[in-house]
Amino acid sequence: QKGRMVFGKHVIKDVHPVDIVTFRDVIVRSSNIGMSKVGIRLGSESLFSYLRNFGFGENSGLGLPGETSGILRNVKTWAKVDVATHSFGQGVAVTPLQMVRAISAIANNGLLPELRVVAKDGELPYQRVVSAKAAMQVKDALYGVVEDERGTGKKAAVLGVRVGGKTGTAQKAKKDGRGYEEGKYVASFLGFADGAPL
């Protein structure tokens, strides 16, 4: 059914239902179903590996007081549905630093930066987490989130600057930590800007 995908005993929904779309449009239109299908094709082991490579589930290494590693359970404990839900960000908890670092890797053509409060010798070490080609394809989709007429982040556009990014809608967790509050959400946008004039 349009806008719904049955996965075992679970139903995955899209807020804005789409038909058959390209991978780029899965990102531009923020399709949970499309991302679930990508995750299923990757498989749980590969998806978990990529999430770890991008720095999720581990401390950033900055040594700041109160910093956490977020929540990314070991793949061996995942239920079957977790490969689908983790693909669009449900069932994991990430910190703002982790998100900024991860999108930096896409903006930097696949190179994940080491975070520093103050850069040593003016240079930050990088680790390649995806190929430059893959990063460029995702970066193009993230530009589409802001530039495309159906993009979910059109309000982030800045005249004269190319902006890319990703919108997010997270359900608020219940106070007892089991499940989510009905109808309560946190909306977010994470982006980057190209310094070159349009």
Side-chain angles (χ1 to χ4, degrees), residues 1-168:
Q1 191 176 23
K2 194 172 179 183
R4 298 167 58 87
M5 179 179 92
V6 176
F7 190 85
K9 297 184 284 185
H10 304 274
V11 177
I12 296 168
K13 301 174 190 168
D14 277 342
V15 174
H16 307 288
V18 297
D19 289 320
I20 296 172
V21 293
T22 64
F23 174 70
R24 182 180 190 276
D25 277 342
V26 165
I27 294 173
V28 168
R29 298 184 188 194
S30 204
S31 170
N32 293 342
I33 293 171
M35 286 309 298
S36 294
K37 290 179 178 183
V38 170
I40 292 163
R41 286 183 74 178
L42 272 173
S44 57
E45 294 283 344
S46 288
L47 178 60
F48 177 78
S49 178
Y50 276 113
L51 290 169
R52 290 296 287 198
N53 288 348
F54 273 88
F56 298 114
E58 60 187 33
N59 195 290
S60 74
L62 278 176
L64 295 175
E67 185 183 359
T68 72
S69 58
I71 299 170
L72 176 61
R73 291 177 292 110
N74 188 298
V75 68
K76 291 175 178 40
T77 68
W78 287 14
K80 190 173 181 180
V81 72
D82 286 336
V83 72
T85 57
H86 282 40
S87 298
F88 60 87
Q90 197 170 52
V92 298
V94 301
T95 69
L97 281 175
Q98 290 171 337
M99 291 299 295
V100 167
R101 186 175 182 218
I103 202 165
S104 294
I106 299 303
N108 290 314
N109 298 324
L111 298 173
L112 184 75
E114 252 184 52
L115 297 181
R116 296 277 189 268
V117 175
V118 178
K120 296 177 183 173
D121 302 321
E123 194 62 41
L124 292 175
Y126 291 88
Q127 171 191 350
R128 179 155 302 281
V129 291
V130 292
S131 71
K133 181 180 178 183
M136 291 295 286
Q137 289 173 328
V138 174
K139 189 177 354 180
D140 175 63
L142 296 177
Y143 284 134
V145 168
V146 176
E147 298 171 351
D148 191 279
E149 68 179 51
R150 293 184 176 159
T152 56
K154 292 182 291 199
K155 290 183 179 180
V158 176
L159 186 62
V161 178
R162 192 154 197 219
V163 177
K166 184 69 188 79
T167 56

